[in-house]
Amino acid sequence: MRRFKRTLAAVALTTTVVAGTAGWATAHRQTAVTGPPAGAAAWRADHSLHRALPDPATAAPAEVARFFAALPEDARQRLAERHPLVVGNLDGVPPALRYEANRHALAAERAAQRARAADASLPPYERERARDLAGRYGELLAPGRQILAFDPRGRGQVAEVYGDLAAARRTAVVVPGSDIDLSSFDRAHDPYGTPSGMAKSLRAEMRRQDPRTPTAVIAWAGYTTPVGVGLDAATDRLARAGAPRLDRLLAGLAASGAAEPAVFCHSYGSVVCGLAASGLRARDLVVLGSPGVHAGSAGELDTGARVWATRRNDADWIGNVPNVELFGLGHGTDPTSAEFGARPVSSAGAHGHTGYFAPGTASLRDFARIALGAYAAVR
């Protein structure tokens, strides 16, 4: 009877989404950014080293890592300067070189947008947009920022590292949900609903709990997220495009010698993580505020990582979404349910859909313990 009621609820949800919001959702349907970064053609045509460069579309991160490890430092620098968007987004490239390449890419994009903003032949709205982008790129160029990925295509994608990734003994990756892109990556309002705010809060708590252990946390907005609550959020189309990108990120970290991370997957980001789970090189997989991960149980994820889940049912609206899959809508079993079998994490003190990383919450406390490997203390 309970399953029947859930199915009826799913039918109602399907009808509402398709009949009531289909026009809105179609208008906001996102085009996933996939494939190699911009500049890949020029990269492939570059024979300045008298050898073929690893193809960004086909080379495995381990192959990329071996290629760069064999290059002298001056050759690495030349490639970063000549092909910043490729080097800055190519998993397997040493992180420090990616930071440098992305500084070049951001500076070039800022200069281009400043030129557009000053172009009187453009309509005012395009010039205003260019001024906004130039300012945004300038913020990412601030001293001390470690931009691991930057892609200006579409709504823009970015990843940032907090801490010394090369020295870290404990690492984590934050995968965000809907409405996250270049402009909202580190927005000031609702900071714990952004990948930047989540990552900084997690690392601060890790350092508070264990100040002697070197740590690093990556905020990864490296896939095209849904906008709002529409068909994109109700289906796995964008998640299926994002999952291989997450897999490559973690494979690249492993190839560069970084410690195997705990991966924290918020909201729609947990759909991405669920679809990528079987190949992820992760110690732990933590889903929070999840609508489902397209698996009926933790075992079905076919991952060697420990699987954890939390959701504040009395404070998080996502708990009202039926956990079923029907007509291509919905994301399946509730990961916090007993039948799913994930390890539970407390969410006491968390408020709303984006409050799980807020200081003082039980969820943040336990997230840090998981990231540090202090599993016995999680409760």
Side-chain angles (χ1 to χ4, degrees):
M1 177 61 71
R2 187 176 181 181
R3 184 177 296 275
F4 178 68
K5 289 181 178 179
R6 288 169 60 194
T7 301
L8 286 179
V11 172
L13 172 67
T14 301
T15 303
T16 300
V17 171
V18 174
T21 65
W24 182 93
T26 300
H28 290 78
R29 180 181 171 88
Q30 301 300 300
T31 300
V33 172
T34 59
W43 168 270
R44 295 187 187 102
D46 188 337
H47 300 292
S48 61
L49 299 183
H50 307 292
R51 57 187 296 188
L53 305 182
D55 190 335
T58 60
E63 178 185 346
V64 172
R66 288 192 295 270
F67 174 85
F68 276 87
L71 291 180
E73 183 60 27
D74 62 336
R76 294 186 186 189
Q77 295 296 326
R78 286 198 302 272
L79 289 177
E81 293 169 5
R82 290 165 64 95
H83 308 281
L85 283 171
V86 174
V87 175
N89 291 285
L90 192 55
D91 294 303
V93 171
L97 187 62
R98 291 180 67 170
Y99 305 156
E100 183 172 348
N102 283 317
R103 283 193 289 271
H104 290 305
L106 282 161
E109 290 294 323
R110 180 176 62 175
Q113 294 302 326
R114 283 176 169 172
R116 286 179 58 80
D119 187 348
S121 69
L122 294 176
Y125 74 90
E126 287 193 20
R127 297 175 66 187
E128 181 64 27
R129 172 62 175 161
R131 279 191 289 271
D132 289 344
L133 283 173
R136 185 74 189 103
Y137 298 150
E139 291 170 355
L140 294 174
L141 279 166
R145 299 195 74 164
Q146 301 178 132
I147 305 302
L148 186 68
F150 163 66
D151 191 334
R153 295 178 296 173
R155 287 159 40 216
Q157 298 180 0
V158 64
E160 185 169 10
V161 177
Y162 305 94
D164 186 343
L165 197 54
R169 288 171 43 206
R170 293 289 180 176
T171 65
V173 175
V174 173
V175 181
S178 297
D179 299 306
I180 296 297
D181 52 30
L182 185 71
S183 65
S184 57
F185 173 79
D186 54 358
R187 62 185 177 226
H189 72 280
D190 187 27
Y192 304 116
T194 72
S196 173
M198 294 177 190
K200 288 190 284 189
S201 184
L202 175 59
R203 183 162 186 262
E205 179 64 13
M206 291 170 70
R207 296 176 73 184
R208 187 191 71 79
Q209 291 186 19
D210 187 355
R212 295 186 178 182
T213 296
T215 61
V217 181
I218 300 171
W220 182 76
Y223 77 103
T224 303
T225 68
V227 172
V229 181
L231 290 178
D232 277 348
T235 68
D236 65 5
R237 180 179 65 87
L238 294 178
R240 289 195 178 279
R245 299 172 76 84
L246 178 60
D247 179 71
R248 284 188 62 89
L249 170 78
L250 267 63
L253 294 177
S256 65
E260 196 170 57
V263 182
F264 295 83
C265 315
H266 178 241
S267 193
Y268 191 84
S270 69
V271 185
V272 178
C273 291
L275 294 173
S278 63
L280 288 185
R281 301 187 183 188
R283 289 187 302 104
D284 297 273
L285 192 63
V286 186
V287 299
L288 49 140
S290 172
V293 295
H294 287 277
S297 68
E300 286 183 15
L301 291 174
D302 192 27
T303 177
R306 300 170 187 82
V307 180
W308 309 77
T310 189
R311 187 178 68 208
R312 186 68 186 272
N313 288 331
D314 60 346
D316 187 344
W317 62 264
I318 202 79
N320 297 322
V321 175
N323 289 106
V324 294
E325 294 181 70
L326 189 68
F327 306 141
L329 297 178
H331 304 297
T333 304
D334 176 3
T336 65
S337 66
E339 63 184 287
F340 189 83
R343 303 176 185 216
V345 179
S346 174
S347 56
H351 297 286
H353 188 52
T354 58
Y356 295 95
F357 285 87
T361 59
S363 47
L364 177 62
R365 177 200 66 204
D366 282 348
F367 291 166
R369 289 170 174 170
I370 292 168
L372 291 166
Y375 304 120
V378 177
R379 49 184 190 274

